[in-house]
Amino acid sequence: MNASLKGFLFKLTKQTTMNNPAIIQKVSVTSSYLPAGNLVATLVPSNGNRKKPDQFASLAHEIRNPLSTMSLAAEMLKAIITNDEQKGFLDMIIRGSRRINDILTDIHSVSGENEMNTGKHSVNQLLDEVLEMAGDKIQLNDITIRKNYAAKDFKIQINRPQILIALTNIVINAIDAMAGVKGILTLVTISTDETCIVQIEDNGCGISEKNLNKIFEPYFTNKPDGLGLGLATTRNILRSNHVGLNVKSTEAKGTNFILRFGENDHDKLLQRKRNVPQLNDTINEFGLRLIDTILHED
C-alpha cells in the first residue's frame, strides 16, 4: 500500500473516531472476526449488573456513525484505484466493517435473557466457517493451515453462534501467538459414534507454566492492547454447551487446545463419571495421547 493511501486512511480513521472520543474509552476494536448471533446476550452476564438493552442500542448507534463513513470511504477508494494489492486491503476493511455492523445490529436487537438455541451441526463445517471468518488475518500473517479431519463427520447438538465465537477466539489467539514466526495452524478432528475430539494447535510463542492456569481468568492478558476477555468467554461458552476443554503449551514451541464434543447430555455425563471415574479419566488421557502421536509422528 503506497504512502499516500496509508496517509488518507489514517486521517479518515482519526477524523471519524475523534467525532466521539467517549467511544474510544468504552470500546476496544480487535482484529477478531466474531459471529454476531446474539453476541451481546452471550457475553453479558444475566444478572443484576447487566445493562439495559436501550443502553447497548445507544452505544451501537454512536459507533455505527463513524463506521458508516469509513465503509463508504473504502468503497469509494476501491472504485478509483487500479492496484490489485490495494484493492485487496480495501476488501479486508470492507469485510471487517460489515462484520462490525452485523454485531452492532445484534446489540440493537438484543432483549431479555439469552436462551439456548441449539441444533445439530457438523463439527468439521464449524471449523471451516471459523477459518473463513479469520481468513483475512490468516492471509495477512502468512499462516499455513493444515487440516486433518476425520472421514466420518460428527454432528453435535450445540448453540451454533456461541460455539463459533468460542472457536474463533481460540483460532485468533493462535494466530496472534505466531507473530514473528512462520506460522502453522493445525486443525484435527477424531470422531467416534458418541464423541468428537478437536485439536487446534499452533507453533507460536507458547504459554509459561505459571500463566497456563490464568489464561481463562477475566481480564488476564499478555497482549499490550488486549482486554483479557476472549478466553474467559470461550470457557464459559464451552461449559454451557458441555464441551470438554484441555490446554497444553510449551514456551517457544506452541499451544494445543483440545476440545471434546459429544458430552452435551449433562446428566448422563455426571452419571458416567460417578460410575467409572478411573476408566473415564483413562479414556480421556488415551485420546489426548493418540492425538499427539498422530500429529507428531515422523
Side-chain angles (χ1 to χ4, degrees):
M1 185 181 294
N2 60 41
S4 60
L5 182 57
K6 283 182 178 179
F8 175 81
L9 291 176
F10 176 77
K11 290 178 182 178
L12 175 65
T13 305
K14 183 177 180 181
Q15 178 184 356
T16 52
T17 54
M18 293 265 307
N19 287 340
N20 195 337
I23 292 176
I24 302 175
Q25 299 175 10
K26 295 181 181 179
V27 179
S28 175
V29 179
T30 70
S31 53
S32 303
Y33 294 82
L34 300 182
N38 287 328
L39 177 64
V40 175
T42 298
L43 302 185
V44 178
S46 42
N47 54 36
N49 296 324
R50 181 188 176 108
K51 292 184 179 180
K52 294 180 181 179
D54 59 336
Q55 291 179 288
F56 286 121
S58 177
L59 179 60
H61 176 75
E62 292 301 317
I63 297 173
R64 185 175 272 131
N65 285 334
L67 179 67
S68 61
T69 303
M70 295 172 63
S71 299
L72 178 60
E75 294 280 6
M76 293 176 66
L77 281 173
K78 185 180 176 183
I80 62 176
I81 64 174
T82 58
N83 184 282
D84 289 339
E85 183 181 13
Q86 292 175 357
K87 284 188 175 183
F89 286 126
L90 288 171
D91 282 336
M92 292 182 185
I93 295 174
I94 293 168
R95 283 193 294 270
S97 298
R98 289 173 180 169
R99 197 69 234 140
I100 296 173
N101 188 69
D102 289 343
I103 295 172
L104 294 177
T105 300
D106 183 62
I107 293 175
H108 184 75
S109 63
V110 68
S111 61
E113 302 299 330
N114 180 42
E115 297 180 358
M116 287 292 288
N117 183 18
T118 63
K120 277 203 167 185
H121 300 281
S122 158
V123 172
N124 292 353
Q125 185 176 345
L126 289 170
L127 291 172
D128 284 340
E129 286 186 50
V130 169
L131 290 177
E132 183 178 354
M133 287 188 291
D136 290 340
K137 194 174 181 72
I138 291 169
Q139 179 183 343
L140 287 171
N141 289 274
D142 194 24
I143 303 295
T144 298
I145 302 297
R146 293 179 178 173
K147 297 192 297 184
N148 185 9
Y149 293 168
K152 181 180 180 181
D153 197 2
F154 189 84
K155 291 188 176 182
I156 183 64
Q157 190 85 9
I158 52 165
N159 183 309
R160 179 177 173 277
Q162 288 186 349
I163 292 299
L164 283 174
I165 291 171
L167 292 174
T168 301
N169 284 341
I170 294 173
V171 167
I172 292 298
N173 273 277
I175 295 172
D176 290 341
M178 294 185 284
V181 302
K182 180 60 179 176
I184 300 175
L185 182 65
T186 304
L187 290 86
V188 175
T189 66
I190 299 175
S191 65
T192 66
D193 289 337
E194 296 184 356
T195 39
C196 177
I197 297 177
V198 173
Q199 176 156 324
I200 302 174
E201 178 185 18
D202 68 70
N203 64 333
C205 60
I207 305 168
S208 67
E209 186 175 352
K210 70 174 184 178
N211 286 337
L212 192 57
N213 292 327
K214 300 178 182 179
I215 60 174
F216 297 109
E217 295 178 4
Y219 309 112
F220 175 80
T221 180
N222 286 322
K223 299 178 184 179
D225 58 346
L227 293 177
L229 294 175
L231 289 181
T233 300
T234 296
R235 182 182 63 175
N236 290 338
I237 289 174
L238 294 177
R239 282 180 173 177
S240 68
N241 284 269
H242 309 299
V243 179
L245 175 64
N246 188 39
V247 183
K248 293 184 177 181
S249 188
T250 303
E251 283 191 274
K253 290 188 177 181
T255 302
N256 299 315
F257 278 78
I258 301 107
L259 291 77
R260 296 182 301 279
F261 291 83
E263 299 181 347
N264 58 311
D265 192 331
H266 198 48
D267 293 335
K268 289 183 179 179
L269 175 62
L270 291 177
Q271 184 63 39
R272 191 164 64 245
K273 285 185 175 181
R274 283 195 295 265
N275 291 342
V276 285
Q278 293 181 343
L279 177 60
N280 197 52
D281 292 341
T282 301
I283 292 174
N284 286 338
E285 182 62 27
F286 174 77
L288 297 180
R289 289 181 181 178
L290 177 62
I291 292 177
D292 286 338
T293 301
I294 293 173
L295 286 176
H296 302 110
E297 64 183 355
D298 295 333

